[in-house]
Amino acid sequence: MSGEVCVHTWPCSYYLELDKRWVPGKLSLTSCSLKFVADEAQETLVSFPLSGITAIKKEASHFVFSSITVLEKDNRKHWFGSLQPSRNAAFSVIEHFWRELLLSQPEAPLPATKGKELTGLMACSQKRLEDTARVLHHQGEQLDSITRGLNKMESDLDVADRLLTELESPSWWPFSSKLWKMPSETKLKGDASTASPKTLGKEGVVVRIPAVVSQRTASHVKPGSLTVLVSGLEIHDSSSALMHRFEREDVDDIKVHTPYEISIRQRFIGKPDIAYHLISARMPEAIPVLEVQFSKKMEVLGDALTPSSTKTSSPAEKGCSMWHTASGLMDRAVHHEPCPGSQDGQPLQLQTTQPFISEGDAQELRQMPLQLLRGKQFGC
């Protein structure tokens, strides 16, 4: 359990059944387990895997104090009270990871074959090649670090330039850059905003994952989903209603706190920034895609690295899969091929007179998965 990544920690109290008293401490959640550590002795009073939980409920002790109860398979019941910042916030995150773990299916063991010895030799050769790849990757880490620093500086300069442009060019200024937009460009943007969400989803969705969403404070969270599109990001609530949409150029920074927790922000001058905090058990599936689309705006905090348990395939296979997916997506977006949901082979009627994205943008997006493949094929 010591090797697992801590997703979140809440100050709370745990009820000791034998001593009939509440013990203050901290409740820690990882991707596969839940444990409580007392503040005084700094010892773990209780620890159990999420797979051994049969029920998680919100209850009240003595009909007054709000608490969370966890029931294990052996009918052992645990009480956690005085959760900070709120009981609802802790319950939503714990229940999300518990349900996602129950829905995930374990991999079936591979049956033994006659070529077992040959497979063993191939595995040894693969291990030697992996060791060589690790050495080559280690030699290129310094150059990668310099590139990330330059990209971060370029991203900060772009944000500063946009904010300074807003200050230097007010809406009433006759030479503002906003007045140089062509009428066709304005009309195309308006048509895209009023288009059907289903049409945009079939044409531009790269990945969609369930998540626990909070906007301003950690005490106000709600279940929802994160959708990564070719043209930006969308955040929906549990009823699939759109909460906010980030265009690609509007995203100023994406911070990766843990492999399961990120925050997205758009900066403004003269009004509050728009920021969303998302926690999801399937976040490791979306982080590689975000690295491709927002490589200059991604910031990894601390040791927020994707755990090895989420890597079920080699980096080359993942890169090839993402390459084929993105290429097919770009081809449909540019050439307007019929969507799978059309009937009798006829394309959907909701289409604009201009391409969904320009040919230049499509060519740039086709190169992104190839760059990811080249950067990840020597990864550990």
Side-chain angles (χ1 to χ4, degrees):
M1 186 177 299
S2 59
E4 297 181 359
V5 179
C6 181
V7 176
H8 210 287
T9 302
W10 299 273
C12 67
S13 299
Y14 176 72
Y15 184 72
L16 286 177
E17 186 68 27
L18 298 178
D19 299 343
K20 304 295 182 182
R21 65 186 180 93
W22 292 88
V23 178
K26 291 182 174 61
L27 179 64
S28 300
L29 171 68
T30 67
S31 59
C32 300
S33 62
L34 193 67
K35 69 175 181 179
F36 177 83
V37 179
D39 287 340
E40 296 180 356
Q42 292 296 323
E43 61 176 350
T44 302
L45 298 182
V46 62
S47 178
F48 45 86
L50 295 179
S51 58
I53 298 176
T54 59
I56 301 177
K57 298 180 180 179
K58 290 189 281 189
E59 299 186 22
S61 59
H62 302 289
F63 304 98
V64 177
F65 303 103
S66 59
S67 305
I68 293 178
T69 60
V70 179
L71 183 64
E72 293 189 79
K73 292 181 180 180
D74 55 358
N75 293 329
R76 185 181 178 186
K77 194 173 186 180
H78 305 278
W79 289 77
F80 301 96
S82 303
L83 287 146
Q84 298 178 7
S86 67
R87 179 185 67 171
N88 293 335
F91 178 82
S92 299
V93 176
I94 296 174
E95 185 188 37
H96 167 77
F97 276 83
W98 175 55
R99 291 185 181 276
E100 288 295 329
L101 184 63
L102 294 180
L103 293 176
S104 62
Q105 299 179 355
E107 297 182 357
L110 296 176
T113 60
K114 294 182 179 180
K116 188 174 181 180
E117 296 181 358
L118 181 59
T119 304
L121 295 175
M122 294 176 61
C124 293
S125 301
Q126 181 181 2
K127 185 177 180 181
R128 299 296 181 269
L129 292 174
E130 289 177 354
D131 294 339
T132 306
R134 290 190 185 97
V135 174
L136 295 175
H137 177 71
H138 180 70
Q139 294 177 354
E141 282 184 348
Q142 292 183 347
L143 292 176
D144 292 340
S145 178
I146 295 174
T147 303
R148 286 194 296 269
L150 294 175
N151 290 338
K152 186 64 169 60
M153 294 173 59
E154 183 180 355
S155 176
D156 294 340
L157 290 175
D158 291 341
V159 174
D161 181 68
R162 179 173 61 84
L163 297 178
L164 290 175
T165 303
E166 293 179 0
L167 290 177
E168 296 173 355
S169 302
S171 58
W172 48 266
W173 183 247
F175 301 103
S176 175
S177 59
K178 298 179 181 179
L179 300 179
W180 290 96
K181 292 184 178 180
M182 300 300 293
S184 59
E185 181 182 353
T186 306
K187 182 179 180 181
L188 178 60
K189 185 175 180 181
D191 295 340
S193 61
T194 57
S196 173
K198 294 183 178 179
T199 305
L200 293 178
K202 291 182 179 180
E203 290 289 346
V205 171
V206 180
V207 64
R208 179 184 289 112
I209 60 172
V212 179
V213 184
S214 61
Q215 184 173 5
R216 297 188 180 276
T217 60
S219 59
H220 295 83
V221 300
K222 59 178 66 176
S225 63
L226 170 66
T227 304
V228 182
L229 304 172
V230 174
S231 59
L233 303 174
E234 287 186 354
I235 299 176
H236 300 262
D237 58 14
S238 57
S239 60
S240 299
L242 181 63
M243 298 175 60
H244 189 76
R245 175 185 173 90
F246 292 95
E247 299 294 338
R248 288 188 62 183
E249 62 273 9
D250 293 339
V251 177
D252 290 331
D253 59 68
I254 299 178
K255 296 183 179 180
V256 182
H257 303 275
T258 67
Y260 310 96
E261 181 179 2
I262 67 171
S263 58
I264 307 171
R265 183 176 62 167
Q266 180 183 1
R267 299 175 183 173
F268 291 96
I269 290 182
K271 61 179 180 178
D273 298 345
I274 298 178
Y276 282 88
H277 198 80
L278 299 101
I279 300 178
S280 174
R282 294 174 55 187
M283 191 63 70
E285 302 177 13
I287 289 179
V289 182
L290 294 175
E291 289 179 348
V292 175
Q293 293 195 1
F294 305 96
S295 59
K296 299 180 181 179
K297 303 178 181 179
M298 291 280 290
E299 181 180 358
V300 180
L301 304 178
D303 297 330
L305 299 176
T306 305
S308 58
S309 60
T310 59
K311 298 179 181 178
T312 57
S313 60
S314 65
E317 293 176 352
K318 288 186 176 181
C320 292
S321 177
M322 184 173 295
W323 165 254
H324 291 302
T325 302
S327 298
L329 185 60
M330 293 304 101
D331 292 337
R332 291 199 305 269
V334 175
H335 301 293
H336 292 280
E337 295 181 358
C339 296
S342 60
Q343 298 178 357
D344 300 333
Q346 297 294 332
L348 295 176
Q349 298 299 324
L350 292 176
Q351 294 186 358
T352 58
T353 58
Q354 299 186 10
F356 182 71
I357 57 176
S358 65
E359 184 67 29
D361 293 339
Q363 185 66 25
E364 180 182 356
L365 291 174
R366 286 195 185 99
Q367 296 298 326
M368 286 183 178
L370 185 58
Q371 295 174 3
L372 178 64
L373 173 60
R374 293 174 179 172
K376 296 294 185 179
Q377 63 183 352
F378 296 113
C380 299

